[in-house]
Amino acid sequence: MFLIPKNSLKKFDPRRSCFVLNEFAAAEFSSAIEMLYAAKTVNNKKLADGFIRHALDEYKHCFIFTNIKNQIISEYKINDKKLNFTPKHIYNKGYVYKDHFIFEKKKLSDFAIFVGANEEVAEKKLITFSNHLKENRPTAFKQIQNILKDEERHAEYSLRFAKKNNGFLLYKIKLTKEQILSFLRHSYANSLNKFSFVFYPILLTILLIISLVVYFLKLKKNSKDENVMKNIDPHSIT
């Protein structure tokens, strides 16, 4: 969900900062869309309310990032159409899939892991970027600190739900898988694709192994459940 570009700058660069802010805004806007779809689809009022609150936070973050960007553009008189936020931006850069929503393709417990893992990654990226702004844009830095509190809460709630609805081992494996996928997305976003011919096959192999382990764990669990049901005396059920 988050394709945040490399932002470890040695000194304040207004144009580059605006580019990064634009990417953060797109990521937050896209996350809000995914959350609204999840809220509309999930068959649980409490979860739907949570998804809507999450979506509202993400829209708020998008507005804050865009506002900071526009202030820098105005102050430094930057004229670059590429820094404008447009809806097609979220499709062209892969923030939102064109043919489906993530919630459609994942179980609820897996979606929670996906959200939690990506919120943690976004939080780390945002901490690095906000430190870059601290000296030159102190007001923006403070605003981003409030966003970080929201991101931390989102990750905490999502992963807490995932832990309750997955076995300990299964949870750890799935979380590792999402973290690896997130690493892949950020590697490409950080313009590391020239090294992908080395790293991609290795990471793909790791993901395949993890997927097989998850599959066999599920088979084992289903087998145990079936054995338990077979051993129940139907006359004992009242």
Side-chain angles (χ1 to χ4, degrees), residues 5 35 46 54 62 66 73 98 103 110 116 121 139 152 173 175 212:
M35 290 301 153
K46 187 176 180 181
H54 192 151
C62 176
T66 302
I73 288 175
K98 293 182 179 180
F103 193 76
D110 292 344
V121 171
T139 302
E152 183 179 1
I173 292 172
L175 182 60
L212 287 172

Side-chain angles (χ1 to χ4, degrees), residues 49-67:
D49 290 344
F51 286 139
I52 290 173
R53 287 193 297 270
H54 192 151
L56 290 173
D57 282 343
E58 303 295 48
Y59 280 128
K60 178 182 67 177
H61 300 166
C62 176
F63 175 80
I64 292 172
F65 286 132
T66 302
N67 190 43

Side-chain angles (χ1 to χ4, degrees), residues 17 24 42 45 52 56 59-60 63 65 96 104 106 116 132 136 157 159 166 171 174 192 198 203 205-206 227:
S17 295
F24 271 116
V42 71
K45 186 180 183 304
I52 290 173
L56 290 173
Y59 280 128
K60 178 182 67 177
F63 175 80
F65 286 132
V96 171
E104 288 181 284
K106 290 182 177 290
H132 170 68
N136 293 279
Y157 287 171
L159 294 179
N166 286 281
Y171 166 78
K174 289 180 178 180
L192 295 177
V198 175
L203 290 170
T205 302
I206 293 172
N227 289 335

Side-chain angles (χ1 to χ4, degrees), residues 181-193:
L181 287 171
S182 185
F183 171 79
L184 274 173
R185 286 191 291 268
H186 284 81
S187 293
Y188 280 104
N190 290 343
S191 302
L192 295 177
N193 54 318

